[in-house]
Amino acid sequence: MTERTTETPRHPAPVVVVAGALYDRGRLLAARRSAPADLAGRWELPGGKLEPGEGPEEALVRELREELGVEVEPGERIPGEWPLKPGYVLRVWTARLLSGEPRPLEDHDELRWLSRSELDSVDWLDQDRPAVAEAGLRLPER
Ligand code: DCM
């Protein structure tokens, strides 16, 4: 017997936002959001939403190219997943700077490279804090 069922998920798959713990010479890049108003002035790991059909590493490379004008190589995923607004989750990958010097081209008004001892010196978005702590533990010496 064949039977087809059409299930309507009660919790549709969340929109995935990928962000990069971008490393260069022993420092981690922090980006200060310029919008929207409720997030402006807070610091984040730069990234953005996956586009349809896109893999997470691919999305990360595209977002950091668009937002910062740099080429990066994704590394490992930082374990965990953090809720954003309803229906959105944050996943974080480490990434290494391949070329370019990051500039705040979109969504940000300031960038800072932070050494391990400086990681608490900016006001991170609450949802980014666990990933930043993990990223700090993985910060390469150089
Ligand atoms: N976001 C976040 N932390 C990040 C990156 C993004 O909380 N490190 C949030 C901000 C937005 C949403 O994800 O609500 C989509 O990001 P964007 O507007 O940059 O595409």
Side-chain angles (χ1 to χ4, degrees):
M1 190 183 95
T2 57
E3 191 179 323
R4 290 173 66 222
T5 56
T6 311
E7 290 185 35
T8 306
R10 271 178 294 175
H11 301 287
V15 175
V16 175
V17 175
V18 293
L22 182 60
Y23 297 134
D24 187 44
R25 287 172 278 170
R27 299 160 310 160
L28 175 73
L29 189 72
R32 191 172 69 185
R33 289 196 68 105
S34 51
D38 58 326
L39 303 182
R42 307 286 300 277
W43 294 75
E44 69 172 10
L45 300 171
K49 293 185 265 298
L50 248 73
E51 287 179 355
E54 205 175 36
E57 288 98 341
E58 197 183 348
L60 183 64
V61 168
R62 175 184 53 73
E63 286 284 348
L64 298 192
R65 185 183 292 139
E66 290 171 2
E67 293 187 354
L68 308 172
V70 294
E71 295 302 318
V72 309
E73 176 183 59
E76 56 169 335
R77 174 153 172 213
I78 293 184
E81 174 174 284
W82 299 279
L84 302 173
K85 55 197 170 188
Y88 287 74
V89 295
L90 176 66
R91 296 180 185 165
V92 178
W93 268 256
T94 64
R96 191 170 65 88
L97 185 64
L98 291 180
S99 66
E101 181 62 26
R103 288 164 294 146
L105 303 176
E106 272 181 12
D107 300 338
H108 304 110
D109 61 6
E110 195 180 337
L111 304 175
R112 261 183 223 171
W113 287 109
L114 303 177
S115 64
R116 187 170 298 165
S117 65
E118 294 168 329
L119 289 183
D120 290 333
S121 67
V122 301
D123 186 19
W124 293 102
L125 287 171
D126 295 338
Q127 57 266 30
D128 283 49
R129 287 174 192 266
V132 169
E134 286 294 323
L137 298 175
R138 291 164 167 76
L139 202 56
E141 286 302 317
R142 48 164 293 121

